[in-house]
Amino acid sequence: MAKLSALGFCGADNTCNPRHLALLSKSYPSVEFGILFRPDKEGQPRYATLDWVQQLSTILKGSEEKAAAAPRLAAHLCGSHVNDVLNGDMSDRIDAFLNQLHEWGFQRVQVNATAVNGVLTDNLADESTLQSFIRTVKAHPTLEFIVQKNEETKPLWDGLLIQMKECSERLDNVVFLHDESKGTGTMAEGGWCGDEAFVCGHRKVVGFAGVS
């Protein structure tokens, strides 16, 4: 039976004291804090400002010296950030942002490529979209990329699976998260779909979102 290796808390914003998060991280090292990044909602509830993220990073780096393990941080990309990941013309901009995330101490990046998260999804099935995502992943090997896996994002994750199965494309820093709620936090229903034998065999599934 699979063991729970991490528990994600998502949506910390400027109403949260970064020092409280540092204390929680030290007491519960399996907790991963997911910070939402969506430029058009920055500063609104659940979307922290970049100044707050900088403050959190500074505090966590200070607490890291006293902790047995580094605090866990995941950047949940939404809106224009995801559009940049999927658009090869924006490679310089997204590379700069991802480098900044790594400098702040983020180890993982979740790509929420859905309309409810402010993403342009009309071109998810395009080959250029797939290749732009792969380019970004390969350009940042120190980050693990989480693909939000649901019916809407199927053109993207299905294309990635084909690349890994049929084209022997090594994407060691890509994993999948089942989240049919698309980040809205509703209860997950149903089970594993047909491609899971391959995905699980390659240890590519990080879990379900919205389970009890």
Side-chain angles (χ1 to χ4, degrees), residues 126-187:
D126 289 1
E127 179 66 18
S128 61
T129 297
L130 179 64
Q131 293 306 319
S132 179
F133 180 86
I134 291 174
R135 183 218 65 84
T136 302
V137 165
K138 288 185 172 182
H140 300 274
T142 58
L143 294 171
E144 182 174 71
F145 287 81
I146 306 168
V147 178
Q148 195 182 62
K149 196 168 182 289
N150 51 57
E151 189 62 30
E152 186 178 2
T153 62
K154 184 175 181 179
L156 177 61
W157 58 258
D158 199 39
L160 290 171
L161 289 178
I162 291 172
Q163 290 285 320
M164 287 188 281
K165 286 191 286 188
E166 299 181 3
C167 304
S168 300
E169 184 74 68
R170 289 191 62 83
L171 299 174
D172 294 332
N173 58 331
V174 174
V175 295
F176 301 91
L177 173 71
H178 291 271
D179 187 4
E180 200 59 53
S181 77
K182 303 167 187 175
T184 61
T186 57
M187 191 67 66

Side-chain angles (χ1 to χ4, degrees), residues 67-136:
R72 299 184 185 218
L73 285 178
H76 292 217
L77 304 190
C78 305
S80 61
H81 288 313
V82 177
N83 293 333
D84 288 351
V85 169
L86 303 179
N87 182 351
D89 293 337
M90 296 293 125
S91 58
D92 289 345
R93 185 164 69 181
I94 193 60
D95 284 346
F97 182 65
L98 292 172
N99 287 335
Q100 178 64 77
L101 291 176
H102 182 258
E103 183 178 329
W104 279 334
F106 286 83
Q107 302 101 345
R108 304 208 295 169
V109 174
Q110 181 168 313
V111 180
N112 297 334
T114 58
V116 73
N117 286 299
V119 176
L120 303 176
T121 60
D122 292 344
N123 299 322
L124 283 185
D126 289 1
E127 179 66 18
S128 61
T129 297
L130 179 64
Q131 293 306 319
S132 179
F133 180 86
I134 291 174
R135 183 218 65 84
T136 302

